[in-house]
Structures are given as structure tokens and as C-alpha cells.
Amino acid sequence: MFDSSYDVIVVGAGHAGCEAAAAAANLGSQTLLITMNLQNVAQMSCNPAMGGIAKGQIVREIDALGGYSGIVSDRSAIQYKMLNQSKGPAMWSPRVQSDRSLFTLEWRSLLEKTPNLDFYQEMVVDLIVEKDQVIGVKTSLGMKIFSKTVILTNGTFLNGLIHIGEKNFGGGRAGEKASTGLTASLVELGFSSGRMKTGTPPRVDGRSLDYSKMEEQPGDNNPSKFSFTELTQPLTKQISCHITHTNELVHDLLRTGFDRSPMFNGAIQSTGPRYCPSIEDKINRFSEKSQHQVFVEPEGWNTVEVYVNGFSTSLPDDIQYKALKQVRGFENVKFFRPGYAIEYDYFPPTQLFHSLETKKINNLFFAGQINGTTGYEEAGAQGIMAGINAHLKTKDQTPFILGREEAYIGVLIDDLILKGTEEPYRMFTSRAEYRTLLRQDNADQRLTPKAYEIGLVSKERMRAVEKKQKKGADLVSYLKKTSYNLDQANTLLREKKDVEVKQTDKFSKLLSRPNIKRKDLSNFENLSSFLEENEMDDSIFEQAEIDIKYAGYIEKEKRTADKLKRLDNIKIPAEFNYEQLASLSHEAKEKLSKIQPTTLAQASRISGINPSDISVLLVSMGR
């Protein structure tokens, strides 16, 4: 069966592995996806949701590049919400509540329809390496499978250890065994490794909850969707989530278990996610708070199982149960399964190039939680990039790398490679310097042309993006050239308690006012006729509104990005000897030698590198 060599082997079928396998195979590489359990492809190990703050932008970027996460999220969604709409468009972030089982089924269905992709259920325990180049993998049954490139996407499975109170046992997820052997193999090859922790809350029986005591959280009235393609449609019906709160009694009960908590008794010494702390961590760090939010999230269309978001814990199961019963609406709660924490091995991502290929072993790529990230979206983003670059490596082509000004994916990978991480990395809009450029609504216009160039999206999809861009440009031009009706405008301005105008002006001037929205202009006859005649839907109008309202901010960010991009054009020679530069600080020499940036722009973003160090490098390169 494995007599011939593959182009790409992907180890692990989580979110990173699935995107990696799909990308490589769709680009034409003969690809093998190896996982320990084919029934759990793209399993949602934690919350049954995709997207959220900054994460929604990432899902749209994956979709724009030709990945599957957006399509699967739409097809398995039970609720859609656009978050942060009270803020500027740079902060708007789509999120869906997902049907956990349907999500896995949709992913597997798409993968099985992908040409060039084979599957195999086994545990990979070792790599086959010759002369610092990976040439295949070895399984627990002793089978050797050869390939030109290998992508490791092992998630939380590498020496995974699950904690529930004083009990602990090996596992990559509840009910699944850990992956052993591979960490030791990588360390023997010279990689440094570390340990991280994450956790998950209890799952409970929704029939045992009293939703009348909670606040309902419905989806959007006019839901949109993730994918820019026509392969999915917005939801026509949705399931509500609910919100409730902990209280002082809940906190007191939780504290009674602290002496048996692996977080406090020393059983867990690895670092957990700062921005998704456990409930015991919350009440310990924020002892002044008398309550914390608890989000009650249904797991799907046809199940009563409920995810208790905000109550992640590794406390003993009896303490979990007693405390949760004191939460409003949970008085008669029944557990399906308790919460737990899991420790696992990761490899500091400073050991990678921006292509996600390792520096020590040629043709070996890492993607997902193995690099110290947290979240399905961050994993999927790394997966698609690793899949693309593994394919390109087999063709001896230039790596596909996104800049910080081009995508949140570019920010994510740049942060990991140049700064590393000592705690599970999570994406936020605040991490992106150019977030006005990197909006969720324009991800297709930013990235689909790049994906088309490398062959990951079709000509038809590229034409659709070009058509959308033209319509948007035409609408902006119309708004800037066409005048509104004076009386109608002043009627609107009086309603808005805004300053009236004395003479007619262009629609763009009216729309640029902060409290005038596009929907306010829908009754202007000449504009509504133009929109209808040119078949411009609300998404086109939305982008035109953003372009006009935020033109100054957008131009400023573009100018800043262009200035910094000049440093990207100054390449640093491979294996440059920083020790020869006496004017560099000791810290600069150490970090530059370790990380090996390829451009001055990358060097300037390394923590601890000062402007004076960049000046020294500029002089040394004759600039």
C-alpha cells in the first residue's frame, strides 16, 4: 500500500491537520493524512464555536485562501453573530455556534471528496531522517511511510496528561489516548520542547437546566455567513444561547477544593492560557469580583448536551458538581462529563522559518498547538500555510508568506516566529498594527488573488472577487459624484439631531458623518435605483460605507505599512555572522543568531532589538 513515496504526510487530523492536508492535496500534491482516530477528524475538543474577536477574521482569511474552515462552519452552524458592532468595522468579528457532531461530519465529507488525499489510522512515533532532512515517518506498528515533506499537527496529544482533581491519566482528549514517542524523537534531533496546559468545562444535560432564570442570547436578526463562496447559505433558523453568573457561594464552594486542585498543589506546573483562565484561576486572581459570567451553549441541533463556557476547571469532580448547582438556573444540573485540564508537549516556534518549516530539519513543518497556540482558528491558519508551503517545497518554489499588513494570519505567524511564546498564544485585534486594513469583510479581496496565483482557488472564484471589487469601486465613485436631495437630507438630519445643510452636496459627504449609516440613505430614490439596477447587495454597500467613513484611517495605515515594507526589501544573508558586529548589544547578537531573521523588517520586530541595532545592521550591509 505504501510502496510509493508521498509528496506530503500530515500527522494529526485536528483543525491544523485538516487544513494542511486539504491545501496540499488541492494544490496537486499526493498527500497522506495520518491520525489515531478517523472518527474524530476536526474534533471540536473544547467549545462548539468558530470565530470570535480576531478569530472570525482568521476564519474568513482561511476561506479567502481556499481553505475549508469557513464552509464547514457555515454548514454546521446553529447560530450566527457579528460581535463588536457597536465599535468600528476593524473590530467587527463574526462568530458561529456550531453543531459539534455535524462539524466533524462536514469536515470528513469535504476531505473525502478532495482528490490526491489518502487516509490512514495509526500513531506516528518517529521520523525517518537522513542528513538533516525528513524522508518519512514510522508508526507504532513499525511501518515506514516515505514522503518528500512531513507536517506535524499533533495538537494536545504529545505526552498528553489529563487532570481532574488529584486524579490524572494519559490522554490527548477525554476518552482518547495520548501520543507517545514523537517528542523524544524530536528532542533527539536537537529540538527544544516545553509543556503547556489548557482546560475545558463540564458538559451538562440541557434538560436539567432552568433557562427561565437565565438571560437569552439569540443570534443576529439577519445572519450572514463565513464563506465568501456560494457553497453555503445564511441560517434561516437558529438556536439561542443563554447567560448566567456565578456568585459568592459558588466561589466559596470552589475554594474548598483548592487543596486538591492540580493548579494549586503543584501537580500542574506548565503555563495555561492567560485569556481563557479556569474558574478557579479567575476567583483566585480576581478575588474582588463577586460573580463571573457563565455562557450556556448548546452542542447541536439534535442533542441536549450543553457546553458551560466560562466554567473551565480541573477541580475534583464532586467540587465541580456542588459549585455548579449553586449557579442560577443550574440548581438541578446533571453532568454528562466533568471538566478537566490537560498538559501537553509543544515546541517553541522560534525554531521555525516563516514558512513553518523547521530550521533544524529540512522539509519538516510544524502547525497548530505544537507551536504553542490555542484555538481552532489559529491552528487552521497555520495548517493551511504549512500545507501550501510543504507543497511548494516539493516543487522547489518560493515559500508563500503573508505579511503583517496583509493578513491576521501574517501577524500570527510573525509573532510566533520572531517573539516565540511561553503561554498558549491567542489572537486579538490589538495584536495587528493594521487592523483597519485587515477587516473581516475584505479578506477575499486581500487574499483570494494571492491564492489564485498559487493555484489554490479557481478562476471562477477569482472573477467573482474582481466583480465584487468593481461593484464596490463603482458605488464609491457614484457616492462621490452624485448629489442628494436637499429637503430629504435635512429631514434625515433633523431626525438624527445633526446639523442641517444649506445646500445640496454629494452622498459621500453625507455618509461620512458619524451618525449617518448606509440604511439611512436607502430611501433616497436616485441611490436606491442605482443599487437595484446594478444588483448591489448590502455587503457591497457596507464596504463602500467603510471606505468612505474611514478613508483617512485607511490611507494612514497604508502609508505606514508602505514605509515599514521598505525594510522587508533589505534581505539579511543566510547564516549571517552577527558576532562580527562589535556595535551590536550582546542581547541582539544572541536573539538574532537564534531566530535568524531573513529581512531587516523581521529583525526590527524581535523583542529586545532596538533601533540602534537596526542602524548597525543597515551600516554593515552598506545602507
Side-chain angles (χ1 to χ4, degrees):
M1 180 176 171
F2 297 123
D3 284 345
S4 58
S5 175
Y6 283 92
D7 295 313
V8 180
I9 289 178
V10 179
V11 180
H15 300 260
C18 288
E19 288 289 4
N26 281 324
L27 284 167
S29 283
Q30 293 300 315
T31 306
L32 176 65
L33 179 59
I34 306 179
T35 180
M36 293 196 295
N37 189 344
L38 282 169
Q39 305 308 313
N40 293 331
V41 166
Q43 174 82 1
M44 291 181 133
S45 310
C46 200
N47 61 317
M50 287 290 284
I53 308 302
K55 292 168 175 280
Q57 282 86 329
I58 290 176
V59 176
R60 287 222 156 152
E61 289 180 351
I62 293 171
D63 182 77
L65 288 171
Y68 289 165
S69 287
I71 295 170
V72 173
S73 297
D74 288 342
R75 290 179 176 175
S76 59
I78 62 174
Q79 186 193 91
Y80 179 95
K81 290 192 86 164
M82 183 67 76
L83 306 180
N84 274 347
Q85 285 193 289
S86 61
K87 301 179 181 178
M91 308 294 284
W92 299 348
S93 302
R95 182 183 189 269
V96 297
Q97 200 68 30
S98 303
D99 183 309
R100 185 189 298 276
S101 299
L102 188 56
F103 188 91
T104 295
L105 290 172
E106 289 290 348
W107 250 115
R108 179 157 174 172
S109 175
L110 279 173
L111 289 174
E112 289 182 353
K113 293 171 185 173
T114 301
N116 307 314
L117 181 57
D118 292 343
F119 304 86
Y120 193 60
Q121 182 170 295
E122 246 272 54
M123 182 193 295
V124 170
V125 296
D126 203 355
L127 299 175
I128 306 171
V129 177
E130 288 185 0
K131 297 178 181 178
D132 294 331
Q133 179 168 312
V134 70
I135 60 169
V137 301
K138 188 183 294 183
T139 72
S140 59
L141 293 178
M143 187 177 296
K144 293 181 178 180
I145 311 173
F146 295 94
S147 67
K148 296 175 183 175
T149 60
V150 173
I151 305 173
L152 297 183
T153 69
N154 302 80
T156 60
F157 281 75
L158 290 178
N159 292 325
L161 184 65
I162 292 173
H163 296 268
I164 303 176
E166 295 170 301
K167 308 164 191 170
N168 61 70
F169 49 91
R173 275 191 293 251
E176 296 181 66
K177 63 181 180 180
S179 173
T180 56
L182 199 50
T183 295
S185 173
L186 290 168
V187 169
E188 194 173 324
L189 288 169
F191 290 95
S192 62
S193 68
R195 294 282 277 177
M196 281 189 175
K197 175 195 85 77
T198 190
T200 192
R203 273 46 159 211
V204 303
D205 188 335
R207 296 169 300 180
S208 66
L209 305 182
D210 186 348
Y211 292 103
S212 67
K213 295 181 178 180
M214 307 178 199
E215 177 188 341
E216 185 178 7
Q217 289 199 308
D220 288 349
N221 289 330
N222 296 300
S224 184
K225 62 194 187 84
F226 269 121
S227 183
F228 293 101
T229 70
E230 295 181 359
L231 297 173
T232 64
Q233 298 299 321
L235 288 169
T236 55
K237 63 175 182 175
Q238 303 184 70
I239 299 178
S240 289
C241 297
H242 289 78
I243 187 170
T244 183
H245 296 84
T246 62
N247 53 55
E248 291 283 14
L249 179 56
V250 173
H251 299 178
D252 289 341
L253 284 168
L254 290 170
R255 288 188 185 99
T256 65
F258 277 12
D259 61 329
R260 292 191 285 153
S261 166
M263 275 193 60
F264 299 119
N265 65 17
I268 292 178
Q269 296 184 344
S270 49
T271 308
R274 178 189 301 266
Y275 302 105
C276 189
S278 64
I279 187 64
E280 57 264 39
D281 199 18
K282 286 181 193 175
I283 64 175
N284 185 52
R285 285 166 51 190
F286 309 109
S287 55
E288 74 283 0
K289 288 188 175 290
S290 60
Q291 63 176 29
H292 293 283
Q293 291 179 320
V294 176
F295 297 94
V296 183
E297 301 181 344
E299 296 255 345
W301 294 110
N302 302 306
T303 179
V304 296
E305 188 169 0
V306 167
Y307 179 88
V308 190
N309 196 342
F311 210 87
S312 176
T313 181
S314 58
L315 285 166
D317 48 335
D318 60 317
I319 298 294
Q320 294 183 34
Y321 180 65
K322 288 175 186 175
L324 198 54
K325 279 177 70 71
Q326 301 305 317
V327 173
R328 188 172 174 82
F330 281 73
E331 293 84 358
N332 299 306
V333 67
K334 293 181 180 179
F335 272 26
F336 272 19
R337 40 190 161 147
Y340 63 86
I342 181 168
E343 289 186 285
Y344 56 94
D345 293 336
Y346 86 105
F347 291 82
T350 51
Q351 300 172 101
L352 307 176
F353 294 114
H354 276 71
S355 63
L356 298 181
E357 183 181 14
T358 67
K359 295 172 181 175
K360 290 187 179 295
I361 303 297
N362 292 329
N363 299 345
L364 176 63
F365 296 77
F366 291 173
Q369 284 181 283
I370 191 173
N371 291 334
T373 58
T374 181
Y376 313 140
E377 302 83 1
E378 290 89 343
Q382 295 170 73
I384 192 169
M385 296 301 285
I388 291 169
N389 283 315
H391 166 81
L392 293 174
K393 192 69 188 287
T394 67
K395 307 297 182 184
D396 294 321
Q397 294 178 6
T398 305
F400 180 71
I401 295 169
L402 295 172
R404 298 180 72 91
E405 77 289 353
E406 294 176 309
Y408 272 91
I409 295 175
V411 175
L412 165 67
I413 293 175
D414 192 65
D415 277 354
L416 292 174
I417 306 310
L418 299 183
K419 297 179 176 138
T421 185
E422 295 180 354
E423 61 185 44
Y425 179 100
R426 179 179 179 177
M427 180 53 71
F428 290 102
T429 52
S430 58
R431 295 192 191 271
E433 308 92 313
Y434 311 111
R435 53 184 174 271
T436 308
L437 300 178
L438 309 182
R439 305 186 310 273
Q440 52 82 30
D441 61 278
N442 67 2
D444 57 339
Q445 295 176 52
R446 288 186 280 117
L447 299 179
T448 298
K450 296 178 183 296
Y452 176 67
E453 284 181 19
I454 60 173
L456 196 50
V457 301
S458 66
K459 183 181 290 187
E460 291 73 25
R461 185 163 181 185
M462 185 62 220
R463 297 294 170 264
V465 171
E466 291 171 343
K467 184 178 178 182
K468 177 182 175 182
Q469 286 177 313
K470 185 179 184 307
K471 282 188 175 185
D474 289 347
L475 180 52
V476 170
S477 176
Y478 176 87
L479 293 168
K480 287 181 176 180
K481 291 178 181 178
T482 308
S483 300
Y484 51 75
N485 177 280
L486 183 62
D487 291 337
Q488 196 170 1
N490 279 328
T491 301
L492 172 63
L493 292 170
R494 281 194 295 272
E495 289 174 4
K496 295 285 186 176
K497 297 181 180 179
D498 203 344
V499 179
E500 295 181 36
V501 290
K502 295 181 179 179
Q503 60 185 36
T504 190
D505 207 337
K506 311 304 179 192
F507 275 111
S508 58
K509 290 288 184 68
L510 193 59
L511 189 57
S512 63
R513 295 194 180 203
N515 60 340
I516 301 297
K517 311 298 182 187
R518 63 184 183 277
K519 65 181 180 182
D520 299 322
L521 306 183
S522 59
N523 291 327
F524 285 73
E525 188 175 343
N526 52 344
L527 176 55
S528 61
S529 296
F530 180 83
L531 293 170
E532 189 175 341
E533 289 168 9
N534 291 278
E535 298 180 339
M536 293 178 177
D537 60 25
D538 189 60
S539 66
I540 302 293
F541 202 175
E542 178 185 80
Q543 284 202 324
E545 179 184 23
I546 292 168
D547 287 341
I548 288 170
K549 261 186 166 54
Y550 298 89
Y553 296 101
I554 292 170
E555 280 306 312
K556 183 180 179 182
E557 282 196 3
K558 282 181 179 176
R559 288 195 300 270
T560 305
D562 288 342
K563 283 180 184 176
L564 293 176
K565 200 160 181 66
R566 292 171 199 165
L567 287 178
D568 258 328
N569 295 326
I570 304 175
K571 306 295 182 185
I572 300 175
E575 299 180 4
F576 184 83
N577 184 7
Y578 296 99
E579 295 294 332
Q580 68 183 353
L581 302 179
S583 300
L584 278 182
S585 66
H586 177 73
E587 182 183 8
K589 289 177 183 177
E590 182 181 315
K591 289 187 173 178
L592 290 166
S593 298
K594 177 184 177 182
I595 295 174
Q596 299 173 24
T598 58
T599 69
L600 276 188
Q602 290 179 11
S604 70
R605 293 193 294 271
I606 297 172
S607 176
I609 303 300
N610 301 313
S612 60
D613 297 320
I614 299 302
S615 297
V616 171
L617 291 175
L618 279 166
V619 171
S620 73
M621 293 174 190
R623 300 301 182 96

